[in-house]
Structures are given as C-alpha cells and as structure tokens.
Amino acid sequence: MTSLDDIHDLRDWLELADKLGEVRTIAGAHWDLEIGAASEVNYKRPSPPALLFDDIVGHRPGRRVLTASMGNARRLGMTLRLGTDLDDRTLVEALRTKPGEWAANASRYPVREVPTGPVRENVLRDGEIDLLDFPVPKWHEGDGGRYIGTGCAVFTTDPETGTLNAGAYRMQVQHDGRAASINIEAGKHGAAHVRAWFAREGRAPVTASLGHDPLLLVVAGTEVPAGTSELEYTGAILGRPVDVIRGEVTGLPVPAAAELAVEGWLRPGRREPEGPFGEWTGYYSGGTEEVLTLDVERVYHRDDPIQLGAPPGKPPHDYSYMRSVMKSAMIQDALVRAGLPGVEGVWAHEAGGGRQLLAVAVHQQYAGHARQAGYLAAQLPAAAYMNKFVVVVDADVDPRSLNDVVWAMCTRTDPAEDIETMRRTWGSRVDPLREQGAPPFNTRAVIDACRPWTRLEQFPKVAEASRELLDRVTRRWPDVLGGTW
C-alpha cells in the first residue's frame, strides 16, 4: 500500500501505519487490566505509537485489540486523508475550513448499500451469541465491568425523517455476553432518536460497529451538525460513499468493511446496572446506574476481528489528542461562519479533555470584541457540551500553548472585571462535580485575557525577541538551537 486512497478498512489503515513505523505489537497481555494499563503508559509518551495487542490471554491468536490509533499528528492526518507527514502545526493548518466544507458536501455522498461485505464473513444468531468470546478488555481498575464499546460507532435513526446518527457511546458487556448496555447522554442526537422511537413504537433499533477505519471514530466522537448523517460526513472526507449492509433485524446500516458489529433493539424497561467507568474527565463516572441495554440479536464479524479500543481516562488518554484537534478546527470554523471577525486561532486543550478549556485568539477590532468571541465560543453547538472555561487572548498569544494562555491570564486579566460566568449550562453526567442524581447542569467562565481595549496603544510591550531575530540566530547555530522554539 502506498497512498491514502488505498485505505478502505481498518486493515488497510494498519498496513499503511505499520509501513510508516507507527505501530507496535504487544503479545500475551491479559484482557483484565493489562491492555488498559499498557495503553495508559503509552498515552503519556510524547508521540505515542499505535498499539496492537495479539495473543491475548484466554483468546486465540488473531483476535486483536488496537489502541492509540490517533495519538499523534501523523496518524490523525493520515486518518483524515490530509497527509502522512504532518506535525501539530501543519495538521491544524491543513484542517482550516475543512469541517465546514465536509458538512456542506456531506449530502453529495449518500451511503452505498451493498449486498454483502467483509463484516458478514461470520453471522451469529440467537444462542450462538457471546460477546465475551472476543477479548473485551476491563480497561481501568475501578471499572464496573468489561467495555466492548469505547472506539465504537453506535447507529440510530430519526423515526420521522430517517436521518442517521452515529455516536461514540460507551458499551458495557452484560448478561454473560448476550447483551450490552449503551450509555447515551440525554442531550446527544442518539438519545433524542431513542426517545422518539420509544414514543412511536415502544422500542428503538440500534446497530453498533466495534472495529473500523478510525475515521469513523473521529466522526462519531465529534459534534457533526444536526441533520447531517455521520456516514455521509465520512463520505465527504473520503471523497466517496461509505459502503453499508442492512442489518437483518432492524434494517439499520452496518459499515460493510467493519471488523465486528452488533444489532438489536432498545426497550424502555430493559436496563442493567452499568459503571462505574474511567471517563474522559479523568475520574470514574460516579457509581452504578441503570442504563438502557441492548439484547444482542445479531453479531457480525470478520475472521479474526480487530476491536478498536479508545478508552478515556485522565488526560492524555486514547482520543484526547484527536478530540483537541477536531474540536479546535470545528469551533474555529463555526466562529468564522457565525461572522466573528479577526479569528486567529482556537485550541481545545487536552488537559480539559478537548472540551472543558478553550482558548480563542482574536485580533481585537472594536470595543467588546473579546467578550463577544468568548460568549459565542462558550455556546456554539460545536463547543457547548461540558464547556467550563473559555479564555480569549490576543493574536500575539499562541492558543495552543497552555503556558502562553496562562501567562496572558496572569498579565492581562483583572479577576474583578474580566471573568464572567454563565450558570445552568449544558453539563454532563460524567462531571465529577455533579452530585449523584442531580440534573447535569454546569457553570462556565468566560475569561478576557486580552489587553484592555482602552489601553491597546499604551499597554506595556512584551519582552521577547522578534521572530526575525529568532530565525536569524537559529539559522546561525542550527545544531544547537534548531527546533527549540
């Protein structure tokens, strides 16, 4: 394989990533905690490789688990079909305007239904189904069970319009491997679909892909505009339709090239105790709650399927880098499309899980510009969920540098005048500050860390060398200074 155009499934993706030196294999790990712990060690490395676990204890060789699929700029750029040699800076540049273009073009790429595909190499029905035949990890020491759905894409539809949604919701194996709970936040599109189906028919159809091209995880794990099918959005990124088969039970789509997929119906009274689970906030998500549970009626899988693992946890975790990059690009795109002038950059920091801490850099053009940017960013659909801090900085501050953002806060923010709060905004059940049983509201702060508009000309000059001078001395002593700033 030599080009991005040759990637049609997870195995193609792995072949190219391996050729680029981006994959490491671990043999002999146990599904009980060792896969999760080894992955966690890997996430903390400066540019973690993808880890492919094989020969997993208790399972035959070939049934594998992949983690850290998009843990650095090179593999994320490859996954998004933007290039195979990108670094952090060039990846962000390559993504500018792309989310808006993909959303605008999505309807040009309706899914292509095919009669069969690799995912149908094996079809399990009724008494044949046991999800624990696959090496489903227990990811964290405090988890309440084994989670087969972390890097998954859960498919639901609007019963009125047929619009498809794909979401990355956690799925815990239940009922001795014959069922899986699906933990969907109430404000997500998938939850709205389920409620609508319950009201209309008393049950809701669901399919879920559990191993696939990591691009599908990118799309399922970010906020694609309402009314846009994630599979069509994926098609816009690929420049070609996504091939799907129809589920035998529900008729919902399943990606034809998926490694492993399940199908069934959710019912209002069918719930199982679920959790706790180590979540993207860096904490276990409270105690055990009753969660809607899918009695699995079909399992589809390739020979020797590969599960796509993407366990969250204290950042950096499996998908925190991917989420930071994608959310940053989507929020910047949305601010520009909303008509906000002077947007220089946006970064959703990994320390906040790519959601809770946003930095927005602007060229101030009028009184109130900085506050306008902060309030818009705090409530854009692409940014509103679980947002807690929006810091607006001047264009001379790199929003990707947490050091520079905090420096701007310390030197340009008057805490009494420049910090404003919004109350009872869109929070999450996984917020460690939420009291058990309380509605998932949160409070967020907009922090103006820009130079005061009334003092722009008189504000003290920053004590640092010019870019031209830095470039000159770096060129003179490249062996000593190259790549250090």
Side-chain angles (χ1 to χ4, degrees), residues 131-147:
L131 298 179
L132 298 180
D133 282 342
F134 305 99
V136 179
K138 182 178 180 183
W139 294 103
H140 316 100
E141 291 166 284
D143 285 353
R146 298 168 67 176
Y147 280 80

Side-chain angles (χ1 to χ4, degrees), residues 363-401:
H363 290 277
Q364 290 191 75
Q365 297 180 12
Y366 45 84
H369 189 182
R371 302 295 172 95
Q372 181 189 22
Y375 275 111
L376 274 174
Q379 293 291 4
L380 286 167
Y385 173 63
M386 196 54 177
N387 177 338
K388 285 195 175 178
F389 298 96
V390 177
V391 185
V392 186
V393 297
D394 290 298
D396 67 321
V397 175
D398 180 0
R400 290 179 291 154
S401 168

Side-chain angles (χ1 to χ4, degrees), residues 261-336:
V262 296
E263 179 184 23
W265 297 85
L266 293 174
R267 293 175 172 81
R270 179 70 178 99
R271 295 172 180 264
E272 292 274 359
E274 190 265 359
F277 182 61
E279 269 290 358
W280 60 269
T281 54
Y283 296 86
Y284 289 99
S285 57
T288 300
E289 297 183 15
E290 298 284 326
V291 170
L292 288 170
T293 297
L294 184 78
D295 286 311
V296 178
E297 298 185 38
R298 293 290 185 277
V299 172
Y300 308 92
H301 72 89
R302 299 183 68 160
D303 295 337
D304 293 330
I306 305 168
Q307 292 173 66
L308 182 59
K314 180 182 176 183
H317 57 70
D318 194 281
Y319 57 84
S320 55
Y321 177 76
M322 176 273 286
R323 175 166 282 164
S324 288
V325 172
M326 291 302 297
K327 296 299 290 183
S328 302
M330 295 177 82
I331 294 165
Q332 179 166 341
D333 221 25
L335 285 172
V336 171

Side-chain angles (χ1 to χ4, degrees), residues 92-398:
V92 171
E93 287 299 316
L95 265 173
R96 285 186 183 236
T97 75
K98 287 294 186 183
E101 293 173 12
W102 292 331
N105 292 327
S107 61
R108 296 171 51 195
Y109 297 94
V111 297
R112 180 168 54 205
E113 187 174 343
V114 295
T116 191
V119 75
R120 286 191 58 91
E121 288 175 354
N122 302 272
V123 180
L124 306 179
R125 302 175 178 86
D126 305 324
E128 302 172 307
I129 292 171
D130 183 355
L131 298 179
L132 298 180
D133 282 342
F134 305 99
V136 179
K138 182 178 180 183
W139 294 103
H140 316 100
E141 291 166 284
D143 285 353
R146 298 168 67 176
Y147 280 80
I148 196 168
T150 52
C152 59
V154 178
F155 298 102
T156 59
T157 57
D158 183 317
E160 297 296 329
T161 66
T163 300
L164 182 81
N165 182 74
Y169 314 123
R170 72 193 204 204
M171 297 176 63
Q172 180 179 337
V173 175
Q174 304 280 3
H175 202 53
D176 297 323
R178 296 189 292 276
S181 51
I182 304 179
N183 196 322
I184 309 178
E185 287 283 338
K188 298 294 186 178
H189 295 156
H193 287 171
V194 170
R195 290 192 296 269
W197 273 100
F198 284 175
R200 173 173 169 158
E201 193 170 316
R203 60 179 186 170
V206 171
T207 56
S209 176
L210 306 168
H212 35 250
D213 181 338
L215 177 59
L216 193 52
L217 173 58
V218 175
V219 176
T222 53
E223 279 77 10
V224 170
T228 300
S229 161
E230 276 81 359
L231 287 180
E232 293 180 359
Y233 191 93
T234 301
I237 298 173
L238 294 173
R240 54 179 167 77
V242 175
D243 287 346
V244 300
I245 63 165
R246 292 289 169 184
E248 293 180 354
V249 175
T250 66
L252 263 60
V254 174
E259 295 282 327
L260 173 65
V262 296
E263 179 184 23
W265 297 85
L266 293 174
R267 293 175 172 81
R270 179 70 178 99
R271 295 172 180 264
E272 292 274 359
E274 190 265 359
F277 182 61
E279 269 290 358
W280 60 269
T281 54
Y283 296 86
Y284 289 99
S285 57
T288 300
E289 297 183 15
E290 298 284 326
V291 170
L292 288 170
T293 297
L294 184 78
D295 286 311
V296 178
E297 298 185 38
R298 293 290 185 277
V299 172
Y300 308 92
H301 72 89
R302 299 183 68 160
D303 295 337
D304 293 330
I306 305 168
Q307 292 173 66
L308 182 59
K314 180 182 176 183
H317 57 70
D318 194 281
Y319 57 84
S320 55
Y321 177 76
M322 176 273 286
R323 175 166 282 164
S324 288
V325 172
M326 291 302 297
K327 296 299 290 183
S328 302
M330 295 177 82
I331 294 165
Q332 179 166 341
D333 221 25
L335 285 172
V336 171
R337 284 187 282 109
L340 183 73
V343 180
E344 175 68 18
V346 173
W347 195 252
H349 284 270
E350 272 193 88
R355 292 189 184 277
Q356 297 181 98
L357 175 60
L358 308 179
V360 180
V362 296
H363 290 277
Q364 290 191 75
Q365 297 180 12
Y366 45 84
H369 189 182
R371 302 295 172 95
Q372 181 189 22
Y375 275 111
L376 274 174
Q379 293 291 4
L380 286 167
Y385 173 63
M386 196 54 177
N387 177 338
K388 285 195 175 178
F389 298 96
V390 177
V391 185
V392 186
V393 297
D394 290 298
D396 67 321
V397 175
D398 180 0

